[in-house]
Amino acid sequence: MIDPREAACRLYINKVLYLRALEARKTRQDDIKELLGATRPDLSPEAAACVAETVPALLPELHRKWIGMFVETLFATAGLEQIVVLCDGSEENNAALALAYVMFLESERMEKQMAADLEHVESLGGAGVAEVAATLCARLDGLEAEVLKEREEKARLYAANKGRTVH
């Protein structure tokens, strides 16, 4: 029989991490726009927003799977008493759980697992990593062409109106 404290902690950790994943989805587009602003300063904010809107969200099933794998690993490697402390409801311990989860996701084992899971989703007709990357590259190329065309048009209008006084 499973210890009731263990069952409560398993449920709590799943809930905390899944809610954080859902919360991150709300700011995902802003995060992508910020990243594009830093890495592609030639893109207008409007173009960055268009790209951010095309990036698909990660499937909830994958979040649940990976969180479940983390919980299993945590219970296999840490003592119940330490885990009970992490599940006290404090924001500090919730943040510690989130950090441990991120570190778990960054492990070599999970990088391979995530790649395999994303390939599986792609094979079922979902958007895979390669498809998303190709879509983003095509979208960026199209936006760059639009931005370049817009700049050329502004330069042409400026040159055509140079010296004229606007009333």
Side-chain angles (χ1 to χ4, degrees), residues 28-157:
R28 181 178 60 83
Q29 287 187 6
D30 290 334
D31 295 341
I32 293 168
K33 287 186 278 191
E34 187 176 318
L35 175 66
L36 287 172
T39 60
R40 296 292 307 267
D42 57 315
L43 287 179
S44 69
E46 295 80 19
C50 285
V51 172
E53 290 170 9
T54 65
V55 177
L58 193 59
L59 297 172
E61 299 82 37
L62 292 179
H63 282 295
R64 284 193 290 273
K65 176 181 180 178
W66 298 337
I67 290 168
M69 293 173 74
F70 167 73
V71 170
E72 290 304 317
T73 301
L74 181 63
F75 275 90
T77 57
L80 181 58
E81 295 307 317
Q82 290 89 355
I83 296 172
V84 167
V85 171
L86 284 172
C87 297
D88 69 0
S90 69
E91 188 52 40
E92 294 82 14
N93 283 330
N94 288 350
L97 284 168
L99 177 61
Y101 177 58
V102 169
M103 292 170 62
F104 171 77
L105 291 176
E106 291 177 345
S107 70
E108 184 177 342
R109 171 183 161 232
M110 281 308 296
E111 285 181 3
K112 290 176 184 175
Q113 181 66 52
M114 289 187 292
D117 288 343
L118 291 170
E119 277 183 37
H120 179 71
V121 168
E122 184 175 15
S123 73
L124 297 174
V129 175
E131 183 181 333
V132 170
T135 300
L136 287 177
C137 288
R139 185 80 172 161
L140 282 172
D141 289 344
L143 289 170
E144 285 176 341
E146 288 176 31
V147 169
L148 196 56
K149 184 178 177 182
E150 185 179 305
R151 287 181 184 163
E152 288 171 353
E153 180 64 18
K154 285 180 182 178
R156 186 188 65 71
L157 288 173

Side-chain angles (χ1 to χ4, degrees), residues 6-27:
E6 179 179 336
C9 287
R10 285 177 179 273
L11 181 62
Y12 180 81
I13 295 168
N14 273 281
K15 178 183 147 196
V16 165
L17 295 178
Y18 192 70
L19 288 175
R20 283 188 180 249
L22 290 176
E23 191 65 32
R25 289 177 75 165
K26 293 178 184 174
T27 62

